[in-house]
Amino acid sequence: MRLKKSDVWRTVLTDTAPFEVPIIFSNDGFYKNLSDLQSKSELLQKFVETIVLKQRKFTVPFKYSIVKGEDSLRTLSLVHPHGQVEVAHFYHEYNQLICEYGNRSPYSIRKPTKVGTSYFFDSPVADKNKYKNATVDTTEIDTLVRNPASYFSYSGFDRLYRFFLSDDHIRLEKKFKLMCALDISKCFDSIYTHSIAWATKSKKLAKDSIGAQSFGNDFDSIMQKLNYNETSGICIGPEASRIFAEIILARVDRNTSSRLENLPSRLKMRQDYESRRYVDNYYIFANTKEDLATIQHELTLALREYNLHLNELKTEIIERPFYTRKSLVIDRVDLSIKKLWEKTLDRDYHEGRRIEFPRHIYKHHALFGDFTREVKAACYASEMGYDAVSNYIIGAMRNKLVQLADTYTDAEASDNEYFSKLHYREAILILLDIGFYFFTLHPTVASSLRLSHTLVRSAQHLKNNDTEGFQIVREASLRWTSLLARSPTFYKLYAKSSVVPIEMLNILLSLQEFSGDGTLEAEVLDKIESGGGEVGYFQTVVGLYVCGNSPALRGRKIGIFDRASARLRDEDDLIRDAESAHLALDLLACTFVSKAKREQLLVDIWPKLLSSNDALGTITKAKAKQLVNEIETQHWFVRWDGIDLLSMIEKKELSAVYA
């Protein structure tokens, strides 16, 4: 299936929302509503125009924090739906120039090269991407991916680790004795929006043409409008922000290269040194420390022209072999994983294809203990923490579960005497046990998706093939999640009132595939709400989704809805505040809540909308009923019923950004 380049709204599918959002959140419904708006009633069109389309001087993003490291947070922005519309129009008008300016760096290994063209290509190769972890469309696989992971196709590498495994890195190690790793300090927080015009013109010309319509000035204006008209710093999360930064840093790279060539020592790229930049990380290769120092100095000066600075604490020089402590620990863990497969899996052939199937696990706890001790030893020997390996291990468990589930039918048909449903059940238990253990030690949004994938696929497999096993794994998963919610790691997370526990929300959502009785859901929701901070948009929609139509959680559901409704009634700037706009659209579409309550909410917030658009007119009960009926026929950012959790998780993993 070919994507239409003329589709104005395609951008909102890929480039305007953060990756770090709950599984059930996506822009799919938003995209469909924008695309189909002309077919809707006049009343709904006016309503959408008021909240989403009507011009405004600025919008206020919903800023929320997630845990980045053990003692650090990362603040992300969910921008207003109107801001996302503005970005879509900008992309549509300037997509060729974005590629032109973004592709000018002599150093970058992740840059936009063309507008992506394919959504799904029906070929035998397509199945290779069924569970693919690609972060963005790359030029080579542009015609093979099932879901558009980005608006643009990118040349280079979609993940940083792929560079270190590449032939290019091997060539650089042969050519140069030293590698220097550099990092821009708080890059997105430090970017001055006006500097986009300096990067696309010259600083003097940009200052002389302030206010004139141009690519740089228009991009500058949009990034300000997304962020409360701030000129210092840009919203972190949307792919559009990385495009913005890439264009600025491409100019920095060119300036650095030029400065080095004009020095008396005339350091030339590809001759005296080579440099690679992945987003805001630089890797410089040279043969002497003097050359490295010179290159770092000139890069520092080039960055300073754009109010950017290197993080001195993260500078690291490595001599050949270019092998880091993280490389060491991953290699050792990889050996332990392979040993685990040797202990637990048998192999056979069926119709010419090699298949793996589990063998009987005699001592679950002994196997679990041996593996975790080996990982602990690997971390100790390489002086690295669990943060270096947890996501990798959880990914390995997920991949093996998917492989076993995918080949189950072949294994069953192979007539192998050792094939047993019980063995699959045992394998699923050990894979989940290991996954939960390392997730508890170091939870991240990315690893929560991988563990959620494992949970959902396990539930689906067992439901279809092993009813008794389904109940056993269900009880174990509920127990592990309960322990997870009460662990010191998550206690610290909940205690940070500014943090949104996306990680825990994702696990809670994935457990819906096991159909709990509501007890665990209530316990976890209580934990999430006990942090003392405000229960925001993400906690609200996940809470409503988890409660669903469960009689046991009806009271909690009504409480969540009433609390969110009261917040909207008190919001003074509904059409500018991103969190309120998302909340209003999703609450009005939530079929788990009675229409009467949603109609009353619409009546209550109508005066705030009317003040921004007189054409709306007054709202009557009949109009409110009509509008709610129409709004709920198509979800906005949360799909309340008929959701395919596995598909949502896969799409999230496809859209995962740089790592």
Side-chain angles (χ1 to χ4, degrees), residues 363-432:
K363 295 181 180 180
H364 178 108
H365 293 297
L367 186 64
F368 176 88
D370 288 346
F371 179 75
T372 53
R373 276 193 298 274
E374 286 181 12
V375 172
K376 187 181 298 184
C379 291
Y380 181 81
S382 56
E383 299 180 334
M384 297 293 290
Y386 285 120
D387 58 314
V389 299
S390 291
N391 193 34
Y392 183 79
I393 293 170
I394 295 166
M397 301 303 113
R398 185 276 312 273
N399 291 342
K400 186 56 65 178
L401 185 280
V402 167
Q403 180 188 342
L404 291 174
D406 278 352
T407 58
Y408 179 83
T409 303
D410 286 340
E412 189 176 31
S414 68
D415 295 325
N416 188 291
E417 61 179 307
Y418 298 111
F419 173 86
S420 168
K421 289 183 179 181
L422 175 62
H423 297 172
Y424 275 83
R425 183 194 309 172
E426 293 170 345
I428 288 171
L429 283 168
I430 194 70
L431 293 173
L432 283 172

Coordinates of all heavy atoms in Angstrom, one line a residue, residues 363-432:
K363 N 14.0 -27.7 37.2 CA 14.1 -26.8 38.4 C 14.0 -25.4 37.9 O 15.1 -24.8 37.6 CB 15.4 -27.1 39.1 CG 15.4 -28.5 39.7 CD 16.7 -28.8 40.5 CE 16.7 -30.2 41.1 NZ 18.0 -30.4 41.9
H364 N 12.9 -24.8 37.9 CA 12.7 -23.4 37.5 C 13.5 -22.5 38.3 O 14.2 -21.6 37.7 CB 11.2 -23.1 37.7 CG 10.8 -21.7 37.3 ND1 10.1 -21.3 36.2 CD2 11.1 -20.5 37.9 CE1 10.0 -20.0 36.1 NE2 10.6 -19.5 37.2
H365 N 13.5 -22.6 39.6 CA 14.2 -21.7 40.5 C 15.7 -21.8 40.3 O 16.5 -20.8 40.3 CB 13.9 -21.9 42.0 CG 12.4 -21.5 42.3 ND1 12.0 -20.2 42.2 CD2 11.4 -22.3 42.7 CE1 10.7 -20.2 42.5 NE2 10.3 -21.4 42.8
A366 N 16.2 -23.0 40.1 CA 17.7 -23.2 39.9 C 18.1 -22.5 38.6 O 19.1 -21.9 38.5 CB 18.0 -24.7 39.9
L367 N 17.3 -22.7 37.5 CA 17.6 -22.2 36.2 C 17.6 -20.6 36.3 O 18.5 -19.9 35.8 CB 16.6 -22.7 35.2 CG 16.8 -22.3 33.8 CD1 18.1 -22.9 33.2 CD2 15.6 -22.7 32.9
F368 N 16.5 -20.1 37.0 CA 16.4 -18.7 37.1 C 17.6 -18.1 37.9 O 18.2 -17.1 37.6 CB 15.1 -18.4 37.9 CG 14.9 -16.9 38.2 CD1 14.3 -16.0 37.3 CD2 15.3 -16.4 39.4 CE1 14.1 -14.7 37.6 CE2 15.1 -15.1 39.8 CZ 14.5 -14.2 38.8
G369 N 18.0 -18.8 39.0 CA 19.1 -18.4 39.9 C 20.4 -18.4 39.1 O 21.2 -17.4 39.2
D370 N 20.7 -19.4 38.4 CA 21.9 -19.5 37.6 C 22.0 -18.3 36.6 O 23.1 -17.7 36.5 CB 22.0 -20.8 36.8 CG 22.2 -22.0 37.7 OD1 22.6 -21.8 38.9 OD2 22.0 -23.2 37.3
F371 N 21.0 -18.1 35.9 CA 21.0 -17.0 34.9 C 21.2 -15.7 35.5 O 22.1 -14.9 35.1 CB 19.7 -17.0 34.0 CG 19.7 -15.9 33.0 CD1 20.4 -16.0 31.8 CD2 18.9 -14.8 33.2 CE1 20.4 -15.0 30.9 CE2 18.9 -13.8 32.2 CZ 19.6 -13.9 31.1
T372 N 20.5 -15.3 36.5 CA 20.6 -14.0 37.2 C 21.9 -13.8 37.8 O 22.5 -12.7 37.8 CB 19.4 -13.8 38.2 OG1 19.4 -14.9 39.1 CG2 18.1 -13.7 37.5
R373 N 22.5 -14.9 38.4 CA 23.8 -14.8 39.0 C 24.9 -14.5 37.9 O 25.8 -13.7 38.1 CB 24.2 -16.0 39.8 CG 23.7 -16.1 41.2 CD 24.3 -17.2 42.0 NE 24.0 -18.5 41.4 CZ 22.9 -19.2 41.7 NH1 22.0 -18.7 42.5 NH2 22.7 -20.4 41.2
E374 N 24.7 -15.1 36.8 CA 25.7 -14.9 35.7 C 25.6 -13.4 35.2 O 26.6 -12.8 34.9 CB 25.4 -15.9 34.5 CG 25.9 -17.3 34.8 CD 25.6 -18.2 33.6 OE1 25.3 -17.7 32.5 OE2 25.7 -19.4 33.8
V375 N 24.4 -12.9 35.1 CA 24.2 -11.5 34.7 C 24.8 -10.6 35.7 O 25.5 -9.6 35.4 CB 22.7 -11.2 34.5 CG1 22.5 -9.7 34.2 CG2 22.2 -12.0 33.3
K376 N 24.6 -10.9 37.0 CA 25.2 -10.1 38.1 C 26.7 -10.1 38.0 O 27.3 -9.0 38.1 CB 24.7 -10.7 39.4 CG 25.1 -9.8 40.6 CD 24.6 -10.4 41.9 CE 23.1 -10.6 42.0 NZ 22.6 -11.1 43.3
A377 N 27.3 -11.3 37.7 CA 28.7 -11.4 37.6 C 29.2 -10.6 36.4 O 30.3 -9.9 36.5 CB 29.1 -12.8 37.5
A378 N 28.5 -10.6 35.3 CA 28.9 -9.8 34.1 C 28.9 -8.3 34.4 O 29.8 -7.6 34.0 CB 28.0 -10.2 33.0
C379 N 27.9 -7.9 35.1 CA 27.8 -6.4 35.5 C 28.9 -6.0 36.4 O 29.5 -5.0 36.3 CB 26.4 -6.1 36.1 SG 25.0 -6.2 35.0
Y380 N 29.2 -6.9 37.4 CA 30.3 -6.6 38.4 C 31.6 -6.5 37.7 O 32.4 -5.6 37.9 CB 30.3 -7.7 39.4 CG 31.3 -7.5 40.5 CD1 31.1 -6.6 41.6 CD2 32.5 -8.1 40.5 CE1 32.1 -6.4 42.5 CE2 33.5 -8.0 41.4 CZ 33.3 -7.1 42.5 OH 34.2 -6.9 43.4
A381 N 31.9 -7.5 36.8 CA 33.2 -7.6 36.1 C 33.4 -6.4 35.2 O 34.6 -5.9 35.0 CB 33.3 -8.9 35.3
S382 N 32.4 -5.9 34.6 CA 32.5 -4.8 33.6 C 32.2 -3.4 34.3 O 32.3 -2.4 33.6 CB 31.6 -5.0 32.5 OG 30.2 -5.1 32.9
E383 N 32.0 -3.5 35.6 CA 31.7 -2.2 36.4 C 30.5 -1.4 35.8 O 30.5 -0.2 35.7 CB 32.9 -1.3 36.4 CG 34.1 -2.0 37.1 CD 35.3 -1.1 37.2 OE1 35.5 -0.2 36.3 OE2 36.2 -1.3 38.1
M384 N 29.5 -2.2 35.4 CA 28.3 -1.6 34.8 C 27.1 -2.0 35.7 O 27.1 -3.0 36.3 CB 28.0 -2.0 33.4 CG 29.1 -1.6 32.4 SD 29.2 0.2 32.1 CE 27.7 0.5 31.2
G385 N 26.0 -1.1 35.7 CA 24.8 -1.4 36.4 C 23.8 -2.2 35.6 O 24.0 -2.4 34.4
Y386 N 22.7 -2.6 36.2 CA 21.7 -3.3 35.5 C 21.0 -2.5 34.4 O 20.4 -3.0 33.5 CB 20.6 -3.7 36.5 CG 21.0 -4.9 37.4 CD1 21.0 -4.8 38.8 CD2 21.3 -6.1 36.8 CE1 21.3 -5.9 39.6 CE2 21.7 -7.2 37.6 CZ 21.7 -7.1 39.0 OH 22.1 -8.1 39.8
D387 N 21.2 -1.1 34.5 CA 20.6 -0.3 33.5 C 21.2 -0.6 32.1 O 20.6 -0.3 31.1 CB 20.8 1.2 33.8 CG 22.2 1.6 34.0 OD1 23.0 0.8 34.7 OD2 22.7 2.6 33.5
A388 N 22.4 -1.1 32.1 CA 23.1 -1.4 30.8 C 22.6 -2.7 30.2 O 22.8 -2.9 29.0 CB 24.6 -1.5 31.1
V389 N 21.9 -3.5 30.9 CA 21.6 -4.8 30.4 C 20.1 -5.2 30.4 O 19.6 -6.1 29.7 CB 22.4 -6.0 31.1 CG1 23.9 -5.8 30.8 CG2 22.0 -6.0 32.5
S390 N 19.4 -4.5 31.3 CA 18.0 -4.9 31.5 C 17.1 -4.9 30.3 O 16.4 -5.9 30.0 CB 17.3 -4.0 32.6 OG 17.9 -4.3 33.9
N391 N 17.1 -3.8 29.5 CA 16.3 -3.7 28.3 C 16.7 -4.8 27.3 O 15.9 -5.3 26.6 CB 16.4 -2.3 27.7 CG 15.4 -2.0 26.7 OD1 14.3 -2.5 26.8 ND2 15.7 -1.2 25.7
Y392 N 18.0 -5.0 27.2 CA 18.5 -6.0 26.3 C 18.0 -7.4 26.6 O 17.6 -8.2 25.8 CB 20.0 -6.0 26.3 CG 20.7 -6.9 25.3 CD1 20.8 -6.6 24.0 CD2 21.2 -8.2 25.7 CE1 21.4 -7.5 23.1 CE2 21.8 -9.1 24.8 CZ 21.9 -8.7 23.5 OH 22.5 -9.6 22.6
I393 N 18.1 -7.7 27.9 CA 17.6 -9.1 28.4 C 16.1 -9.2 28.2 O 15.6 -10.3 27.7 CB 18.0 -9.3 29.8 CG1 19.5 -9.4 30.0 CG2 17.3 -10.5 30.4 CD1 20.0 -9.4 31.4
I394 N 15.3 -8.2 28.5 CA 13.9 -8.3 28.4 C 13.5 -8.4 26.9 O 12.6 -9.2 26.5 CB 13.2 -7.0 29.0 CG1 13.4 -7.0 30.5 CG2 11.7 -7.0 28.6 CD1 13.1 -5.6 31.1
G395 N 14.3 -7.7 26.0 CA 14.1 -7.9 24.6 C 14.4 -9.3 24.1 O 13.7 -9.8 23.2
A396 N 15.4 -9.9 24.6 CA 15.8 -11.3 24.3 C 14.7 -12.2 24.7 O 14.3 -13.2 24.0 CB 17.1 -11.7 24.9
M397 N 14.1 -12.0 25.9 CA 13.0 -12.9 26.4 C 11.8 -12.7 25.5 O 11.1 -13.7 25.1 CB 12.6 -12.5 27.8 CG 13.8 -12.7 28.8 SD 14.5 -14.3 28.9 CE 16.2 -14.0 28.3
R398 N 11.5 -11.5 25.1 CA 10.4 -11.2 24.2 C 10.5 -11.9 22.9 O 9.6 -12.5 22.3 CB 10.2 -9.7 24.0 CG 9.0 -9.2 23.2 CD 9.2 -9.1 21.7 NE 10.5 -8.5 21.4 CZ 10.7 -7.2 21.2 NH1 9.7 -6.4 21.3 NH2 11.9 -6.8 20.8
N399 N 11.7 -11.7 22.3 CA 12.0 -12.3 21.0 C 11.8 -13.8 21.0 O 11.3 -14.4 20.0 CB 13.4 -11.9 20.5 CG 13.5 -10.4 20.2 OD1 12.5 -9.7 20.0 ND2 14.7 -9.9 20.1
K400 N 12.3 -14.4 22.0 CA 12.2 -15.9 22.1 C 10.8 -16.3 22.2 O 10.3 -17.3 21.6 CB 13.1 -16.4 23.2 CG 13.1 -17.9 23.3 CD 13.7 -18.5 22.0 CE 15.1 -18.2 21.7 NZ 15.6 -18.8 20.4
L401 N 10.0 -15.6 23.0 CA 8.6 -16.0 23.2 C 7.8 -15.8 21.9 O 7.0 -16.7 21.5 CB 8.0 -15.0 24.3 CG 6.5 -15.3 24.7 CD1 5.5 -14.7 23.8 CD2 6.2 -16.7 25.0
V402 N 8.1 -14.8 21.2 CA 7.4 -14.5 19.9 C 7.8 -15.7 18.9 O 7.0 -16.2 18.2 CB 7.8 -13.2 19.3 CG1 7.4 -13.1 17.8 CG2 7.2 -12.0 20.1
Q403 N 9.1 -16.0 18.9 CA 9.6 -17.1 18.0 C 8.9 -18.4 18.3 O 8.4 -19.2 17.5 CB 11.1 -17.3 18.1 CG 11.7 -18.4 17.3 CD 13.1 -18.6 17.6 OE1 13.8 -17.7 18.2 NE2 13.6 -19.7 17.2
L404 N 8.8 -18.8 19.6 CA 8.1 -20.0 20.0 C 6.7 -20.0 19.7 O 6.1 -21.1 19.2 CB 8.3 -20.2 21.6 CG 9.8 -20.5 22.0 CD1 9.8 -20.6 23.5 CD2 10.3 -21.8 21.4
A405 N 6.0 -18.9 19.9 CA 4.6 -18.8 19.6 C 4.3 -18.9 18.1 O 3.4 -19.6 17.6 CB 4.0 -17.5 20.2
D406 N 5.2 -18.3 17.3 CA 5.0 -18.3 15.9 C 5.2 -19.6 15.3 O 4.6 -20.0 14.3 CB 6.1 -17.3 15.2 CG 5.6 -15.8 15.3 OD1 4.4 -15.6 15.7 OD2 6.4 -15.0 14.9
T407 N 6.1 -20.4 15.9 CA 6.4 -21.8 15.3 C 5.7 -22.9 16.0 O 6.0 -24.1 15.8 CB 7.9 -22.0 15.3 OG1 8.4 -21.9 16.7 CG2 8.7 -21.0 14.5
Y408 N 4.8 -22.6 16.9 CA 4.1 -23.6 17.7 C 3.4 -24.6 16.8 O 3.4 -25.8 17.0 CB 3.1 -23.0 18.7 CG 2.3 -23.9 19.5 CD1 2.9 -24.5 20.7 CD2 1.0 -24.3 19.1 CE1 2.2 -25.4 21.5 CE2 0.3 -25.3 19.9 CZ 0.9 -25.8 21.1 OH 0.2 -26.7 21.8
T409 N 2.6 -24.1 15.8 CA 1.9 -25.0 14.9 C 2.8 -26.0 14.2 O 2.5 -27.2 14.1 CB 1.1 -24.2 13.9 OG1 0.2 -23.3 14.6 CG2 0.2 -25.1 13.0
D410 N 4.0 -25.5 13.7 CA 4.9 -26.3 13.0 C 5.5 -27.4 14.0 O 5.7 -28.5 13.6 CB 6.1 -25.5 12.5 CG 5.6 -24.7 11.2 OD1 4.6 -25.1 10.6 OD2 6.3 -23.7 10.9
A411 N 5.8 -26.9 15.2 CA 6.4 -27.8 16.2 C 5.4 -28.9 16.5 O 5.7 -30.1 16.7 CB 6.8 -27.1 17.5
E412 N 4.1 -28.6 16.7 CA 3.1 -29.6 17.0 C 2.9 -30.6 15.8 O 2.7 -31.8 16.1 CB 1.7 -28.8 17.2 CG 0.6 -29.7 17.8 CD -0.6 -28.9 18.1 OE1 -0.9 -27.9 17.4 OE2 -1.3 -29.3 19.0
A413 N 3.0 -30.1 14.6 CA 2.9 -30.9 13.4 C 4.1 -31.8 13.1 O 4.0 -32.7 12.3 CB 2.5 -30.1 12.2
S414 N 5.2 -31.5 13.8 CA 6.5 -32.2 13.5 C 6.5 -33.6 14.0 O 7.4 -34.4 13.7 CB 7.7 -31.4 14.0 OG 7.6 -31.4 15.5
D415 N 5.5 -34.0 14.9 CA 5.5 -35.3 15.5 C 6.7 -35.6 16.3 O 7.1 -36.8 16.5 CB 5.3 -36.4 14.4 CG 3.9 -36.2 13.7 OD1 3.0 -35.8 14.4 OD2 3.9 -36.5 12.5
N416 N 7.4 -34.6 16.8 CA 8.6 -34.9 17.6 C 8.1 -35.4 19.0 O 7.2 -34.9 19.6 CB 9.4 -33.5 17.9 CG 10.7 -33.8 18.5 OD1 10.7 -34.1 19.7 ND2 11.8 -33.6 17.8
E417 N 8.8 -36.5 19.4 CA 8.3 -37.2 20.6 C 8.4 -36.3 21.9 O 7.8 -36.6 22.9 CB 9.1 -38.5 20.8 CG 10.6 -38.3 21.0 CD 11.4 -39.6 21.2 OE1 11.0 -40.3 22.1 OE2 12.3 -39.8 20.4
Y418 N 9.3 -35.3 21.8 CA 9.5 -34.4 23.0 C 8.6 -33.2 23.0 O 8.6 -32.4 24.0 CB 10.9 -34.0 23.1 CG 11.9 -35.1 23.2 CD1 12.8 -35.5 22.2 CD2 11.9 -35.9 24.4 CE1 13.6 -36.5 22.3 CE2 12.8 -36.9 24.5 CZ 13.7 -37.3 23.5 OH 14.5 -38.3 23.6
F419 N 7.7 -33.0 22.0 CA 6.8 -31.9 22.0 C 5.8 -32.0 23.1 O 5.2 -33.1 23.3 CB 6.1 -31.8 20.6 CG 5.0 -30.7 20.6 CD1 5.4 -29.4 20.3 CD2 3.7 -31.0 20.9 CE1 4.4 -28.4 20.3 CE2 2.7 -30.1 20.9 CZ 3.1 -28.8 20.6
S420 N 5.5 -30.9 23.8 CA 4.6 -31.0 24.9 C 4.0 -29.6 25.2 O 4.8 -28.6 25.3 CB 5.2 -31.5 26.2 OG 4.4 -31.3 27.3
K421 N 2.7 -29.4 25.4 CA 2.1 -28.2 25.8 C 2.7 -27.7 27.1 O 2.9 -26.5 27.4 CB 0.6 -28.3 25.8 CG 0.0 -28.4 24.5 CD -1.6 -28.4 24.6 CE -2.2 -28.5 23.2 NZ -3.7 -28.5 23.4
L422 N 2.9 -28.7 28.0 CA 3.4 -28.4 29.3 C 4.8 -27.7 29.2 O 5.1 -26.7 30.0 CB 3.5 -29.6 30.2 CG 4.2 -29.5 31.5 CD1 3.3 -28.6 32.4 CD2 4.3 -30.9 32.2
H423 N 5.6 -28.1 28.3 CA 6.9 -27.5 28.2 C 6.8 -26.1 27.7 O 7.6 -25.2 28.1 CB 7.8 -28.3 27.2 CG 8.0 -29.7 27.6 ND1 8.6 -30.7 26.8 CD2 7.8 -30.4 28.8 CE1 8.8 -31.8 27.5 NE2 8.2 -31.7 28.7
Y424 N 5.9 -25.8 26.8 CA 5.7 -24.4 26.4 C 5.2 -23.5 27.6 O 5.7 -22.4 27.7 CB 4.6 -24.3 25.3 CG 5.2 -24.6 23.9 CD1 5.4 -25.9 23.5 CD2 5.6 -23.5 23.1 CE1 5.9 -26.1 22.2 CE2 6.1 -23.7 21.8 CZ 6.3 -25.0 21.4 OH 6.8 -25.2 20.2
R425 N 4.4 -24.1 28.4 CA 3.9 -23.4 29.6 C 5.1 -23.1 30.5 O 5.3 -21.9 31.0 CB 2.9 -24.2 30.4 CG 2.3 -23.5 31.6 CD 1.6 -24.6 32.4 NE 0.6 -25.3 31.7 CZ -0.1 -26.4 32.2 NH1 0.2 -26.8 33.4 NH2 -0.9 -27.0 31.4
E426 N 6.0 -24.0 30.7 CA 7.2 -23.8 31.6 C 8.1 -22.8 31.0 O 8.7 -22.0 31.7 CB 7.9 -25.2 31.7 CG 7.1 -26.2 32.5 CD 7.8 -27.6 32.4 OE1 8.6 -27.8 31.6 OE2 7.4 -28.5 33.3
A427 N 8.3 -22.8 29.6 CA 9.1 -21.9 29.0 C 8.6 -20.4 29.1 O 9.3 -19.5 29.4 CB 9.3 -22.2 27.5
I428 N 7.3 -20.3 29.0 CA 6.6 -19.0 29.1 C 6.8 -18.5 30.6 O 7.2 -17.3 30.8 CB 5.1 -19.1 28.8 CG1 5.0 -19.2 27.3 CG2 4.4 -17.8 29.3 CD1 3.6 -19.5 26.8
L429 N 6.7 -19.3 31.5 CA 6.9 -18.9 32.9 C 8.3 -18.4 33.2 O 8.5 -17.4 33.9 CB 6.5 -20.1 33.9 CG 5.0 -20.3 34.1 CD1 4.8 -21.7 34.8 CD2 4.4 -19.2 34.9
I430 N 9.3 -19.1 32.7 CA 10.7 -18.7 32.9 C 11.0 -17.4 32.2 O 11.7 -16.5 32.7 CB 11.7 -19.8 32.6 CG1 13.1 -19.5 33.2 CG2 11.8 -20.0 31.1 CD1 13.2 -19.6 34.6
L431 N 10.5 -17.3 31.0 CA 10.7 -16.0 30.2 C 10.1 -14.8 30.9 O 10.7 -13.8 31.0 CB 10.2 -16.2 28.8 CG 10.9 -17.2 27.9 CD1 10.1 -17.4 26.6 CD2 12.3 -16.8 27.6
L432 N 8.9 -15.0 31.4 CA 8.2 -13.9 32.1 C 8.9 -13.6 33.4 O 9.0 -12.4 33.8 CB 6.7 -14.2 32.3 CG 5.9 -14.1 31.0 CD1 4.5 -14.6 31.3 CD2 5.8 -12.6 30.6

